[in-house]
PDB file of all heavy atoms in Angstrom:
ATOM      1  N   ALA A 278      24.367   5.059   9.233  1.00  0.00           N
ATOM      2  CA  ALA A 278      24.343   3.866   8.385  1.00  0.00           C
ATOM      3  C   ALA A 278      22.973   3.215   8.453  1.00  0.00           C
ATOM      4  O   ALA A 278      22.339   3.184   9.514  1.00  0.00           O
ATOM      5  CB  ALA A 278      25.419   2.869   8.807  1.00  0.00           C
ATOM      6  N   THR A 279      22.536   2.696   7.306  1.00  0.00           N
ATOM      7  CA  THR A 279      21.299   1.917   7.215  1.00  0.00           C
ATOM      8  C   THR A 279      21.631   0.638   6.472  1.00  0.00           C
ATOM      9  O   THR A 279      22.118   0.678   5.339  1.00  0.00           O
ATOM     10  CB  THR A 279      20.204   2.685   6.453  1.00  0.00           C
ATOM     11  OG1 THR A 279      19.954   3.928   7.106  1.00  0.00           O
ATOM     12  CG2 THR A 279      18.921   1.880   6.403  1.00  0.00           C
ATOM     13  N   VAL A 280      21.386  -0.513   7.108  1.00  0.00           N
ATOM     14  CA  VAL A 280      21.785  -1.782   6.515  1.00  0.00           C
ATOM     15  C   VAL A 280      20.621  -2.759   6.534  1.00  0.00           C
ATOM     16  O   VAL A 280      19.816  -2.779   7.473  1.00  0.00           O
ATOM     17  CB  VAL A 280      22.998  -2.378   7.266  1.00  0.00           C
ATOM     18  CG1 VAL A 280      22.648  -2.668   8.720  1.00  0.00           C
ATOM     19  CG2 VAL A 280      23.513  -3.635   6.571  1.00  0.00           C
ATOM     20  N   PHE A 281      20.513  -3.571   5.478  1.00  0.00           N
ATOM     21  CA  PHE A 281      19.500  -4.625   5.383  1.00  0.00           C
ATOM     22  C   PHE A 281      20.124  -5.943   5.824  1.00  0.00           C
ATOM     23  O   PHE A 281      21.210  -6.309   5.362  1.00  0.00           O
ATOM     24  CB  PHE A 281      19.005  -4.743   3.943  1.00  0.00           C
ATOM     25  CG  PHE A 281      17.970  -5.820   3.732  1.00  0.00           C
ATOM     26  CD1 PHE A 281      16.623  -5.541   3.869  1.00  0.00           C
ATOM     27  CD2 PHE A 281      18.344  -7.111   3.386  1.00  0.00           C
ATOM     28  CE1 PHE A 281      15.664  -6.516   3.669  1.00  0.00           C
ATOM     29  CE2 PHE A 281      17.400  -8.109   3.180  1.00  0.00           C
ATOM     30  CZ  PHE A 281      16.050  -7.809   3.324  1.00  0.00           C
ATOM     31  N   VAL A 282      19.410  -6.653   6.720  1.00  0.00           N
ATOM     32  CA  VAL A 282      19.911  -7.933   7.228  1.00  0.00           C
ATOM     33  C   VAL A 282      18.808  -8.979   7.049  1.00  0.00           C
ATOM     34  O   VAL A 282      17.711  -8.838   7.604  1.00  0.00           O
ATOM     35  CB  VAL A 282      20.329  -7.843   8.705  1.00  0.00           C
ATOM     36  CG1 VAL A 282      21.056  -9.125   9.113  1.00  0.00           C
ATOM     37  CG2 VAL A 282      21.208  -6.628   8.949  1.00  0.00           C
ATOM     38  N   ALA A 283      19.089 -10.004   6.270  1.00  0.00           N
ATOM     39  CA  ALA A 283      18.109 -11.060   6.000  1.00  0.00           C
ATOM     40  C   ALA A 283      17.881 -11.909   7.250  1.00  0.00           C
ATOM     41  O   ALA A 283      18.709 -11.923   8.163  1.00  0.00           O
ATOM     42  CB  ALA A 283      18.602 -11.931   4.844  1.00  0.00           C
ATOM     43  N   PRO A 284      16.751 -12.630   7.314  1.00  0.00           N
ATOM     44  CA  PRO A 284      16.474 -13.476   8.481  1.00  0.00           C
ATOM     45  C   PRO A 284      17.582 -14.498   8.708  1.00  0.00           C
ATOM     46  O   PRO A 284      18.025 -15.179   7.791  1.00  0.00           O
ATOM     47  CB  PRO A 284      15.149 -14.159   8.109  1.00  0.00           C
ATOM     48  CG  PRO A 284      14.536 -13.275   7.083  1.00  0.00           C
ATOM     49  CD  PRO A 284      15.663 -12.667   6.331  1.00  0.00           C
ATOM     50  N   GLY A 285      18.055 -14.583   9.951  1.00  0.00           N
ATOM     51  CA  GLY A 285      19.088 -15.539  10.312  1.00  0.00           C
ATOM     52  C   GLY A 285      20.468 -15.219   9.792  1.00  0.00           C
ATOM     53  O   GLY A 285      21.374 -16.051   9.892  1.00  0.00           O
ATOM     54  N   GLN A 286      20.672 -14.007   9.247  1.00  0.00           N
ATOM     55  CA  GLN A 286      21.958 -13.626   8.678  1.00  0.00           C
ATOM     56  C   GLN A 286      22.614 -12.509   9.480  1.00  0.00           C
ATOM     57  O   GLN A 286      22.018 -11.930  10.383  1.00  0.00           O
ATOM     58  CB  GLN A 286      21.772 -13.176   7.223  1.00  0.00           C
ATOM     59  CG  GLN A 286      21.164 -14.224   6.319  1.00  0.00           C
ATOM     60  CD  GLN A 286      22.071 -15.429   6.157  1.00  0.00           C
ATOM     61  OE1 GLN A 286      23.280 -15.289   5.962  1.00  0.00           O
ATOM     62  NE2 GLN A 286      21.495 -16.625   6.238  1.00  0.00           N
ATOM     63  N   SER A 287      23.874 -12.223   9.144  1.00  0.00           N
ATOM     64  CA  SER A 287      24.641 -11.153   9.783  1.00  0.00           C
ATOM     65  C   SER A 287      25.205 -10.225   8.717  1.00  0.00           C
ATOM     66  O   SER A 287      25.314 -10.600   7.541  1.00  0.00           O
ATOM     67  CB  SER A 287      25.782 -11.726  10.628  1.00  0.00           C
ATOM     68  OG  SER A 287      25.282 -12.533  11.676  1.00  0.00           O
ATOM     69  N   ALA A 288      25.544  -9.018   9.136  1.00  0.00           N
ATOM     70  CA  ALA A 288      26.120  -8.036   8.222  1.00  0.00           C
ATOM     71  C   ALA A 288      27.100  -7.165   8.989  1.00  0.00           C
ATOM     72  O   ALA A 288      26.892  -6.882  10.176  1.00  0.00           O
ATOM     73  CB  ALA A 288      25.031  -7.181   7.586  1.00  0.00           C
ATOM     74  N   LEU A 289      28.152  -6.739   8.317  1.00  0.00           N
ATOM     75  CA  LEU A 289      29.157  -5.877   8.927  1.00  0.00           C
ATOM     76  C   LEU A 289      28.958  -4.450   8.407  1.00  0.00           C
ATOM     77  O   LEU A 289      28.977  -4.211   7.202  1.00  0.00           O
ATOM     78  CB  LEU A 289      30.567  -6.357   8.596  1.00  0.00           C
ATOM     79  CG  LEU A 289      31.710  -5.492   9.142  1.00  0.00           C
ATOM     80  CD1 LEU A 289      31.703  -5.513  10.672  1.00  0.00           C
ATOM     81  CD2 LEU A 289      33.050  -5.968   8.600  1.00  0.00           C
ATOM     82  N   VAL A 290      28.795  -3.527   9.340  1.00  0.00           N
ATOM     83  CA  VAL A 290      28.691  -2.107   9.000  1.00  0.00           C
ATOM     84  C   VAL A 290      30.024  -1.467   9.362  1.00  0.00           C
ATOM     85  O   VAL A 290      30.369  -1.358  10.537  1.00  0.00           O
ATOM     86  CB  VAL A 290      27.541  -1.430   9.767  1.00  0.00           C
ATOM     87  CG1 VAL A 290      27.413   0.037   9.360  1.00  0.00           C
ATOM     88  CG2 VAL A 290      26.235  -2.166   9.531  1.00  0.00           C
ATOM     89  N   ASP A 291      30.787  -1.069   8.351  1.00  0.00           N
ATOM     90  CA  ASP A 291      32.110  -0.507   8.626  1.00  0.00           C
ATOM     91  C   ASP A 291      32.176   0.956   8.179  1.00  0.00           C
ATOM     92  O   ASP A 291      31.183   1.536   7.740  1.00  0.00           O
ATOM     93  CB  ASP A 291      33.204  -1.341   7.953  1.00  0.00           C
ATOM     94  CG  ASP A 291      32.963  -1.516   6.461  1.00  0.00           C
ATOM     95  OD1 ASP A 291      32.049  -0.862   5.916  1.00  0.00           O
ATOM     96  OD2 ASP A 291      33.702  -2.295   5.826  1.00  0.00           O
ATOM     97  N   HIS A 292      33.359   1.544   8.330  1.00  0.00           N
ATOM     98  CA  HIS A 292      33.600   2.939   7.961  1.00  0.00           C
ATOM     99  C   HIS A 292      32.669   3.903   8.696  1.00  0.00           C
ATOM    100  O   HIS A 292      32.221   4.906   8.138  1.00  0.00           O
ATOM    101  CB  HIS A 292      33.471   3.126   6.446  1.00  0.00           C
ATOM    102  CG  HIS A 292      34.408   2.280   5.654  1.00  0.00           C
ATOM    103  ND1 HIS A 292      35.782   2.431   5.703  1.00  0.00           N
ATOM    104  CD2 HIS A 292      34.173   1.245   4.813  1.00  0.00           C
ATOM    105  CE1 HIS A 292      36.345   1.540   4.905  1.00  0.00           C
ATOM    106  NE2 HIS A 292      35.399   0.805   4.365  1.00  0.00           N
ATOM    107  N   LEU A 293      32.404   3.595   9.975  1.00  0.00           N
ATOM    108  CA  LEU A 293      31.553   4.466  10.778  1.00  0.00           C
ATOM    109  C   LEU A 293      32.390   5.525  11.493  1.00  0.00           C
ATOM    110  O   LEU A 293      33.486   5.232  11.984  1.00  0.00           O
ATOM    111  CB  LEU A 293      30.791   3.652  11.827  1.00  0.00           C
ATOM    112  CG  LEU A 293      29.676   2.734  11.333  1.00  0.00           C
ATOM    113  CD1 LEU A 293      29.225   1.822  12.462  1.00  0.00           C
ATOM    114  CD2 LEU A 293      28.512   3.550  10.815  1.00  0.00           C
ATOM    115  N   PRO A 294      31.893   6.751  11.601  1.00  0.00           N
ATOM    116  CA  PRO A 294      32.581   7.744  12.434  1.00  0.00           C
ATOM    117  C   PRO A 294      32.555   7.307  13.898  1.00  0.00           C
ATOM    118  O   PRO A 294      31.597   6.666  14.352  1.00  0.00           O
ATOM    119  CB  PRO A 294      31.748   9.016  12.224  1.00  0.00           C
ATOM    120  CG  PRO A 294      31.008   8.781  10.944  1.00  0.00           C
ATOM    121  CD  PRO A 294      30.746   7.310  10.883  1.00  0.00           C
ATOM    122  N   GLU A 295      33.593   7.617  14.630  1.00  0.00           N
ATOM    123  CA  GLU A 295      33.645   7.297  16.056  1.00  0.00           C
ATOM    124  C   GLU A 295      32.724   8.258  16.805  1.00  0.00           C
ATOM    125  O   GLU A 295      33.047   9.422  17.030  1.00  0.00           O
ATOM    126  CB  GLU A 295      35.073   7.418  16.583  1.00  0.00           C
ATOM    127  CG  GLU A 295      35.975   6.248  16.210  1.00  0.00           C
ATOM    128  CD  GLU A 295      35.660   4.989  17.013  1.00  0.00           C
ATOM    129  OE1 GLU A 295      34.703   5.012  17.820  1.00  0.00           O
ATOM    130  OE2 GLU A 295      36.359   3.972  16.834  1.00  0.00           O
ATOM    131  N   ALA A 296      31.525   7.741  17.166  1.00  0.00           N
ATOM    132  CA  ALA A 296      30.534   8.561  17.853  1.00  0.00           C
ATOM    133  C   ALA A 296      29.527   7.628  18.517  1.00  0.00           C
ATOM    134  O   ALA A 296      29.391   6.472  18.113  1.00  0.00           O
ATOM    135  CB  ALA A 296      29.832   9.501  16.870  1.00  0.00           C
TER     136      ALA A 296
END
Side-chain angles (χ1 to χ4, degrees):
T279 302
V280 62
F281 179 90
V282 189
Q286 301 295 316
S287 298
L289 178 64
V290 182
D291 54 9
H292 301 295
L293 289 169
E295 283 286 3

